[in-house]
mmCIF file of all heavy atoms in Angstrom:
data_model
loop_
_atom_site.group_PDB
_atom_site.id
_atom_site.type_symbol
_atom_site.label_atom_id
_atom_site.label_comp_id
_atom_site.label_asym_id
_atom_site.label_seq_id
_atom_site.Cartn_x
_atom_site.Cartn_y
_atom_site.Cartn_z
ATOM 1 N N ASP A 47 239.404 32.617 203.531
ATOM 2 C CA ASP A 47 238.515 32.535 204.690
ATOM 3 C C ASP A 47 238.255 31.116 205.180
ATOM 4 O O ASP A 47 237.974 30.906 206.351
ATOM 5 C CB ASP A 47 237.155 33.163 204.342
ATOM 6 C CG ASP A 47 237.231 34.674 204.357
ATOM 7 O OD1 ASP A 47 238.330 35.197 204.605
ATOM 8 O OD2 ASP A 47 236.196 35.300 204.117
ATOM 9 N N GLY A 48 238.291 30.166 204.282
ATOM 10 C CA GLY A 48 237.913 28.805 204.658
ATOM 11 C C GLY A 48 238.976 28.049 205.407
ATOM 12 O O GLY A 48 238.772 26.904 205.817
ATOM 13 N N ASP A 49 240.118 28.697 205.627
ATOM 14 C CA ASP A 49 241.256 27.943 206.141
ATOM 15 C C ASP A 49 241.168 27.581 207.626
ATOM 16 O O ASP A 49 241.889 26.708 208.080
ATOM 17 C CB ASP A 49 242.550 28.691 205.854
ATOM 18 C CG ASP A 49 242.938 28.578 204.384
ATOM 19 O OD1 ASP A 49 242.347 27.729 203.700
ATOM 20 O OD2 ASP A 49 243.806 29.323 203.941
ATOM 21 N N LEU A 50 240.312 28.258 208.388
ATOM 22 C CA LEU A 50 240.185 27.875 209.803
ATOM 23 C C LEU A 50 239.715 26.436 209.894
ATOM 24 O O LEU A 50 240.264 25.618 210.648
ATOM 25 C CB LEU A 50 239.200 28.810 210.529
ATOM 26 C CG LEU A 50 238.982 28.471 212.005
ATOM 27 C CD1 LEU A 50 240.241 28.711 212.818
ATOM 28 C CD2 LEU A 50 237.830 29.301 212.589
ATOM 29 N N LEU A 51 238.702 26.109 209.095
ATOM 30 C CA LEU A 51 238.180 24.744 209.121
ATOM 31 C C LEU A 51 239.223 23.756 208.574
ATOM 32 O O LEU A 51 239.380 22.651 209.104
ATOM 33 C CB LEU A 51 236.879 24.671 208.314
ATOM 34 C CG LEU A 51 236.102 23.369 208.405
ATOM 35 C CD1 LEU A 51 235.726 23.042 209.838
ATOM 36 C CD2 LEU A 51 234.840 23.441 207.535
ATOM 37 N N CYS A 52 239.942 24.169 207.522
ATOM 38 C CA CYS A 52 240.983 23.286 206.955
ATOM 39 C C CYS A 52 242.059 22.975 207.991
ATOM 40 O O CYS A 52 242.476 21.820 208.145
ATOM 41 C CB CYS A 52 241.648 23.935 205.742
ATOM 42 S SG CYS A 52 240.569 24.123 204.344
ATOM 43 N N LEU A 53 242.520 24.015 208.687
ATOM 44 C CA LEU A 53 243.558 23.809 209.705
ATOM 45 C C LEU A 53 243.020 22.957 210.855
ATOM 46 O O LEU A 53 243.719 22.083 211.380
ATOM 47 C CB LEU A 53 244.053 25.155 210.246
ATOM 48 C CG LEU A 53 244.845 26.043 209.286
ATOM 49 C CD1 LEU A 53 245.136 27.398 209.929
ATOM 50 C CD2 LEU A 53 246.157 25.389 208.865
ATOM 51 N N ALA A 54 241.772 23.216 211.231
ATOM 52 C CA ALA A 54 241.163 22.444 212.321
ATOM 53 C C ALA A 54 241.035 20.976 211.940
ATOM 54 O O ALA A 54 241.317 20.071 212.755
ATOM 55 C CB ALA A 54 239.801 23.026 212.661
ATOM 56 N N GLU A 55 240.628 20.746 210.706
ATOM 57 C CA GLU A 55 240.472 19.360 210.249
ATOM 58 C C GLU A 55 241.832 18.665 210.196
ATOM 59 O O GLU A 55 241.974 17.513 210.631
ATOM 60 C CB GLU A 55 239.802 19.337 208.875
ATOM 61 C CG GLU A 55 239.496 17.929 208.401
ATOM 62 C CD GLU A 55 238.835 17.887 207.035
ATOM 63 O OE1 GLU A 55 238.430 18.942 206.522
ATOM 64 O OE2 GLU A 55 238.742 16.781 206.470
ATOM 65 N N ALA A 56 242.843 19.381 209.689
ATOM 66 C CA ALA A 56 244.179 18.774 209.565
ATOM 67 C C ALA A 56 244.758 18.422 210.935
ATOM 68 O O ALA A 56 245.311 17.322 211.127
ATOM 69 C CB ALA A 56 245.111 19.730 208.824
ATOM 70 N N SER A 57 244.641 19.346 211.881
ATOM 71 C CA SER A 57 245.202 19.071 213.217
ATOM 72 C C SER A 57 244.422 17.939 213.892
ATOM 73 O O SER A 57 245.012 17.054 214.533
ATOM 74 C CB SER A 57 245.216 20.320 214.083
ATOM 75 O OG SER A 57 243.926 20.853 214.237
ATOM 76 N N SER A 58 243.112 17.937 213.717
ATOM 77 C CA SER A 58 242.282 16.899 214.345
ATOM 78 C C SER A 58 242.568 15.521 213.748
ATOM 79 O O SER A 58 242.682 14.525 214.483
ATOM 80 C CB SER A 58 240.798 17.226 214.173
ATOM 81 O OG SER A 58 240.488 18.454 214.768
ATOM 82 N N ARG A 59 242.661 15.481 212.424
ATOM 83 C CA ARG A 59 242.937 14.181 211.787
ATOM 84 C C ARG A 59 244.303 13.642 212.209
ATOM 85 O O ARG A 59 244.462 12.440 212.447
ATOM 86 C CB ARG A 59 242.863 14.299 210.255
ATOM 87 C CG ARG A 59 241.453 14.457 209.726
ATOM 88 C CD ARG A 59 241.386 14.220 208.225
ATOM 89 N NE ARG A 59 240.062 14.497 207.714
ATOM 90 C CZ ARG A 59 239.013 13.686 207.842
ATOM 91 N NH1 ARG A 59 239.148 12.527 208.454
ATOM 92 N NH2 ARG A 59 237.836 14.030 207.350
ATOM 93 N N ARG A 60 245.287 14.540 212.268
ATOM 94 C CA ARG A 60 246.619 14.092 212.678
ATOM 95 C C ARG A 60 246.596 13.575 214.120
ATOM 96 O O ARG A 60 247.165 12.518 214.429
ATOM 97 C CB ARG A 60 247.625 15.243 212.532
ATOM 98 C CG ARG A 60 249.031 14.884 212.979
ATOM 99 C CD ARG A 60 249.560 13.649 212.217
ATOM 100 N NE ARG A 60 250.791 13.168 212.783
ATOM 101 C CZ ARG A 60 251.995 13.422 212.264
ATOM 102 N NH1 ARG A 60 252.114 14.156 211.180
ATOM 103 N NH2 ARG A 60 253.072 12.937 212.841
ATOM 104 N N LEU A 61 245.910 14.297 214.986
ATOM 105 C CA LEU A 61 245.832 13.873 216.388
ATOM 106 C C LEU A 61 245.124 12.524 216.502
ATOM 107 O O LEU A 61 245.589 11.620 217.216
ATOM 108 C CB LEU A 61 245.082 14.916 217.219
ATOM 109 C CG LEU A 61 244.878 14.526 218.680
ATOM 110 C CD1 LEU A 61 246.183 14.633 219.467
ATOM 111 C CD2 LEU A 61 243.812 15.395 219.351
ATOM 112 N N MET A 62 244.005 12.395 215.803
ATOM 113 C CA MET A 62 243.236 11.141 215.910
ATOM 114 C C MET A 62 244.041 9.960 215.364
ATOM 115 O O MET A 62 243.958 8.845 215.897
ATOM 116 C CB MET A 62 241.892 11.292 215.206
ATOM 117 C CG MET A 62 240.949 12.246 215.955
ATOM 118 S SD MET A 62 239.511 12.767 215.004
ATOM 119 C CE MET A 62 238.564 11.241 214.965
ATOM 120 N N ALA A 63 244.842 10.220 214.323
ATOM 121 C CA ALA A 63 245.709 9.156 213.796
ATOM 122 C C ALA A 63 246.793 8.809 214.817
ATOM 123 O O ALA A 63 247.065 7.624 215.089
ATOM 124 C CB ALA A 63 246.335 9.603 212.478
ATOM 125 N N ASP A 64 247.415 9.843 215.385
ATOM 126 C CA ASP A 64 248.459 9.619 216.397
ATOM 127 C C ASP A 64 247.919 8.825 217.590
ATOM 128 O O ASP A 64 248.596 7.971 218.160
ATOM 129 C CB ASP A 64 249.009 10.950 216.913
ATOM 130 C CG ASP A 64 249.887 11.679 215.900
ATOM 131 O OD1 ASP A 64 250.292 11.050 214.898
ATOM 132 O OD2 ASP A 64 250.162 12.872 216.123
ATOM 133 N N MET A 65 246.679 9.173 217.998
ATOM 134 C CA MET A 65 246.087 8.573 219.191
ATOM 135 C C MET A 65 245.376 7.250 218.889
ATOM 136 O O MET A 65 244.897 6.578 219.793
ATOM 137 C CB MET A 65 245.049 9.532 219.808
ATOM 138 C CG MET A 65 245.586 10.878 220.242
ATOM 139 S SD MET A 65 246.820 10.759 221.535
ATOM 140 C CE MET A 65 245.875 10.040 222.855
#
Side-chain angles (χ1 to χ4, degrees):
Chain A
D47 283 2
D49 285 347
L50 179 67
L51 188 58
C52 293
L53 292 174
E55 185 180 350
S57 58
S58 300
R59 287 194 185 283
R60 178 56 190 259
L61 177 74
M62 290 167 71
D64 288 346
M65 300 298 297

